């Protein structure tokens, strides 16, 4: 079983002068281990739904699903479409415990959010990582959303809490399910811990990938019913609609 470092920031010297790009292995002199060329070639999200961030042909529109059934969250912020090489980076971090990749992804998400805040996106009061089931967290040894939240929190000086949300039981992994099965799979899957006090707050959920949005909707609904004023979702990547490549 992999073990999560007690302080990921102490494990890696992120500001060492000589390091290599994690994608092409070329030497870089930047603070992050990603060269300018590979950074530019990442699958940036482009035009997308202004609510759920679903990739669209034209920017500034709301997708049909959000118009028909507005989700309980206000906005999704994601820098990338879920595609190569971002998918490989996320899987390397998530399933192989490659800590430098996790730190890089967290820093890139923080960079994206800093730009969004400068463009007028309201800053949240608190970051909440999406929880894993106890069994899956024991197997993996860490919660990737929690590590991303730690990096973003430190970079942007945002408060975070990892003890407000709890996943109950051990439902099947979401990746292998269609949209309807995902929703059924998540019924009653989350609850607020007694320490949670969301009333009157603007909250932001942190996760790695948004696919159907079922997890984000369940958690946002739980938080808004408990009095949260607004819930946003910050993730690394948004999957396109089926058939949209």
């Amino acid at each position: 079983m992999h073990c999560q470092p007690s302080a990921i920031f102490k494990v890696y010297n992120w500001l060492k002068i000589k390091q290599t790009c994690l994608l092409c292995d070329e030497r870089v002199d930047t603070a992050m281990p990603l060269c300018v060329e590979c950074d530019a070639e990442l699958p940036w999200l482009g035009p997308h739904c202004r609510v759920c961030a679903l990739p669209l042909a034209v920017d500034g529109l709301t997708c049909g699903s959000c118009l028909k059934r507005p989700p309980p969250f206000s906005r999704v912020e994601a820098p990338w479409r879920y595609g190569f090489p971002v998918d490989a980076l996320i899987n390397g971090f998530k399933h192989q415990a490659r800590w430098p990749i996790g730190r890089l992804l967290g820093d890139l998400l923080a960079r994206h959010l800093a730009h969004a805040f400068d463009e007028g996106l309201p800053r949240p009061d608190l970051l909440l990582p999406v929880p894993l089931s106890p069994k899956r967290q024991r197997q993996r040894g860490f919660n990737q959303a929690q590590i991303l939240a730690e990096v973003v929190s430190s970079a942007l000086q945002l408060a975070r809490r990892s003890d407000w949300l709890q996943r109950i039981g051990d439902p099947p992994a979401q990746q292998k399910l269609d949209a309807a099965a995902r929703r059924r799979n998540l019924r009653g899957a989350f609850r607020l811990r007694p320490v949670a006090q969301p009333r009157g707050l603007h909250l932001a959920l942190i996760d790695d990938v948004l696919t159907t949005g079922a997890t984000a909707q369940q958690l946002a609904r739980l938080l808004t019913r408990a009095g949260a004023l607004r819930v946003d979702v910050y993730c690394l990547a948004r999957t396109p609609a089926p058939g949209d490549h």
Side-chain angles (χ1 to χ4, degrees):
M1 181 178 72
H2 301 292
C3 294
Q4 179 178 341
S6 59
I8 189 172
F9 305 111
K10 297 180 182 178
V11 175
Y12 296 101
N13 181 3
W14 206 246
L15 297 178
K16 60 184 179 182
I17 296 175
K18 295 182 178 180
Q19 58 184 340
T20 58
C21 174
L22 290 177
L23 286 175
C24 70
D25 290 329
E26 290 293 324
R27 185 66 60 87
V28 296
D29 295 322
T30 56
M32 291 187 287
L34 183 70
C35 71
V36 174
E37 291 78 9
C38 287
D39 192 358
E41 292 177 1
L42 292 174
W44 299 99
L45 186 59
H48 58 274
C49 172
R50 59 185 180 181
V51 178
C52 75
L54 181 74
L56 299 174
V58 180
D59 207 8
L61 302 179
T62 302
C63 72
S65 295
C66 289
L67 287 172
K68 183 178 179 180
R69 184 177 296 177
F73 51 76
S74 296
R75 180 162 168 174
V76 173
E77 278 294 331
W80 306 298
R81 290 168 64 109
Y82 188 66
F84 185 81
V86 167
D87 54 356
L89 289 174
I90 292 173
N91 286 327
F93 167 46
K94 190 172 174 178
H95 299 298
Q96 299 170 29
R98 297 179 64 184
W99 304 111
I101 293 178
R103 176 62 192 267
L104 172 63
L105 292 172
D107 277 334
L108 291 172
L109 178 58
R111 184 183 69 179
H112 171 84
L113 291 171
H115 176 72
F117 295 150
D118 288 342
E119 294 293 310
L121 179 70
R123 289 172 63 95
D125 298 307
L126 203 60
L127 302 176
L128 301 176
V130 171
L132 287 178
S133 70
K135 179 180 179 181
R136 188 158 291 118
Q137 182 149 343
R138 285 195 302 271
Q139 291 172 337
R140 189 171 295 168
F142 64 99
N143 177 359
Q144 71 279 359
Q146 183 174 335
I147 291 179
L148 292 173
E150 289 173 2
V151 177
V152 171
S153 170
S154 177
L156 300 180
Q157 299 300 298
L158 292 170
R160 61 180 169 83
R161 293 294 296 261
S162 300
D163 58 347
W164 279 22
L165 301 173
Q166 182 179 16
R167 186 151 192 168
I168 305 166
D170 185 41
Q174 291 283 90
Q175 293 95 324
K176 299 179 181 180
L177 305 176
D178 61 22
R182 284 171 184 252
R183 289 192 294 270
R184 291 194 299 271
N185 190 44
L186 290 172
R187 287 174 184 165
F190 300 102
R191 68 183 173 195
L192 291 177
R193 294 179 181 271
V195 70
Q197 297 180 355
R199 183 167 300 279
L201 297 182
H202 173 190
L203 306 171
L205 297 165
I206 299 275
D207 207 359
D208 53 355
V209 180
L210 188 80
T211 304
T212 65
T215 297
Q217 290 191 38
Q218 289 284 339
L219 289 170
R221 189 172 293 111
L222 187 66
L223 291 165
T224 54
R225 286 175 176 171
L229 288 181
R230 170 173 173 151
V231 179
D232 290 336
V233 181
Y234 303 158
C235 59
L236 298 173
R238 179 66 161 101
T239 58
D244 179 10
H245 301 291

